[in-house]
Amino acid sequence: MQPIAQTGTRNGITISMVQYKVKLNAKSNLPKYEQIIQSLTDAIGAKQLIRGSVLPSIKQLSKELNISCATVAKAYDELKRRGIIQSTPYKGFHVASESIDHTRRIFLLFDELNLFKEDLYNSFKHRLARKAVIDLYFHHYNIEVFKTLILDNVGRYNNYVIMPFYHPEVAEVLEAIDPDKVLILDQPGYVNGTYPGVVQDFENDVYQSLKSRADLIRKYKKLILIYPEPNIHPKDIMHGFERFCSDFGIKGTITQSLTQAPPQAGSAYIIIADVLLVELIKQCHQKGLKVGQDVGVISYNDTPLKEILEGGITTISTDFRQMGISAAELVLSGRKDKIANPVRLLVRQSL
């Protein structure tokens, strides 16, 4: 809620009668007294409470939150110990100092660690410089790990920067966090449109990337997308592929494995999984097919190795470094933007 302020004086100090509502989260594992401390210090940091702002009495806040007076007293005692609030006999509590610890704590949850995510993390950390402490976690596409990491840390951080994934429980788990503190990265999952973030528009990214060099793709008789199941990448990739083939009159096929579509001259392949990229190249060598001439190859997500493999593998890749920079800027500014991260087709010898 927006604070409503009235002013007066007490013992020569300007007093701000601010109606600020302390927030508790029933799903948080953080003790209630710590949640009170966090809520009040967040409000001071956001200038919703200022020096002189009057706070509810212990009895009043206990009644409002439906918790014991002992819990409220424990929170107030800790805030008094830090010098953040003071009490005057028979007159109550007020904010004594706005000098709280302003070091921002960030909960950063990645799916897994790879070269792309390392670039993202480094640019995110560099952009924040010394303005935040970052705790990095990984869920490895495991819903139980995802759930435990988030629920065990609700209320402990100023910002939650999270890479979701495609699972029906993901959105519900995220609801445990104050939505004003959540920022989504990379894959929007089931929460696109709900939270701010920096994400990939997979369908449009694939479509626009292929469209940009449709002239090269037309050299091949057939375009084949190898999309294994299960797959950590969103099905929007298939939708972008199908739309491109339809709009440009390309004979396209989607299959789950190279067994179903072994390499043959005149075909171009889009490979989602790197392990299948290696297998495709091995099979081309075994059959005497030259990558980039007999067989076209497009991989997903760029790495330094792909720059030199087979003289260079063409990739569809987002700019993970820029994703980290954009995410850090959203955290620092507090803006609620939804940013589509730039993606491009890096054309090399394999196409």
Side-chain angles (χ1 to χ4, degrees), residues 200-218:
Q200 299 186 62
D201 180 353
F202 289 90
E203 178 177 344
N204 192 57
D205 291 343
V206 169
Y207 180 87
Q208 294 296 338
S209 294
L210 298 178
K211 176 183 176 182
S212 69
R213 292 315 305 264
D215 58 320
L216 294 178
I217 295 171
R218 287 187 187 279

Side-chain angles (χ1 to χ4, degrees), residues 111-112 117 139-143 164-167 187 232:
D111 43 29
E112 61 185 1
K117 307 303 163 48
H139 59 67
H140 300 289
Y141 305 96
N142 183 313
I143 188 60
F165 62 107
Y166 285 76
H167 191 283
Q187 298 195 27
I232 61 174

Side-chain angles (χ1 to χ4, degrees), residues 21-261:
K21 192 172 182 63
V22 174
K23 301 175 184 177
L24 294 184
N25 188 333
K27 295 184 180 180
S28 174
N29 290 333
L30 200 65
K32 288 184 174 60
Y33 84 93
E34 289 191 29
Q35 291 191 50
I36 295 172
I37 293 170
Q38 184 71 57
S39 180
L40 290 174
T41 53
D42 281 352
I44 293 169
K47 304 299 183 184
Q48 293 175 297
L49 291 174
I50 60 175
R51 184 175 181 273
S53 295
V54 173
L55 301 176
S57 68
I58 291 175
K59 185 175 181 180
Q60 180 185 351
L61 190 55
S62 167
K63 184 177 180 180
E64 287 178 5
L65 300 178
N66 193 28
I67 58 177
S68 70
C69 288
T71 299
V72 178
K74 187 174 182 180
Y76 276 13
D77 285 346
E78 174 60 21
L79 289 167
K80 285 171 67 179
R81 187 190 68 78
R82 298 184 193 179
I84 296 173
I85 70 172
Q86 288 181 356
S87 62
T88 305
Y90 309 109
K91 293 184 179 180
F93 297 88
H94 67 271
V95 176
S97 173
E98 297 176 38
S99 298
I100 61 173
D101 180 5
H102 289 289
T103 301
R104 189 186 300 270
R105 296 191 66 218
I106 297 177
F107 174 93
L108 180 59
L109 181 57
F110 280 0
D111 43 29
E112 61 185 1
L113 182 62
N114 51 39
L115 288 173
F116 331 127
K117 307 303 163 48
E118 189 173 343
D119 284 346
L120 194 165
Y121 174 74
N122 287 336
S123 62
F124 181 72
K125 183 179 179 180
H126 180 75
R127 180 65 183 84
L128 289 170
R130 298 180 181 179
K131 298 175 183 176
V133 174
I134 304 168
D135 290 339
L136 178 60
Y137 301 89
F138 301 92
H139 59 67
H140 300 289
Y141 305 96
N142 183 313
I143 188 60
E144 294 305 320
V145 173
F146 183 86
K147 188 184 303 183
T148 299
L149 286 173
I150 288 179
L151 297 184
D152 283 354
N153 285 289
V154 170
R156 296 183 184 274
Y157 291 88
N158 303 100
N159 300 93
Y160 294 80
V161 182
I162 296 171
M163 284 185 177
F165 62 107
Y166 285 76
H167 191 283
E169 294 183 50
V170 162
E172 181 181 354
V173 175
L174 290 179
E175 289 175 0
I177 311 171
D178 181 346
D180 289 335
K181 297 182 178 182
V182 177
L183 189 149
I184 297 301
L185 278 186
D186 197 23
Q187 298 195 27
Y190 288 108
V191 294
N192 193 20
T194 305
Y195 301 100
V198 188
V199 299
Q200 299 186 62
D201 180 353
F202 289 90
E203 178 177 344
N204 192 57
D205 291 343
V206 169
Y207 180 87
Q208 294 296 338
S209 294
L210 298 178
K211 176 183 176 182
S212 69
R213 292 315 305 264
D215 58 320
L216 294 178
I217 295 171
R218 287 187 187 279
K219 296 191 305 180
Y220 299 92
K221 298 176 183 177
K222 184 186 294 186
L223 182 61
I224 301 169
L225 171 63
I226 306 294
Y227 188 92
E229 294 283 4
N231 201 314
I232 61 174
H233 293 85
K235 296 185 184 298
D236 291 348
I237 290 175
M238 292 193 289
H239 301 155
F241 172 85
E242 291 171 331
R243 185 155 63 93
F244 168 75
C245 291
S246 174
D247 287 356
F248 287 83
I250 304 291
K251 185 178 181 182
T253 301
I254 300 176
T255 185
Q256 293 186 18
S257 70
L258 287 169
T259 302
Q260 298 171 338

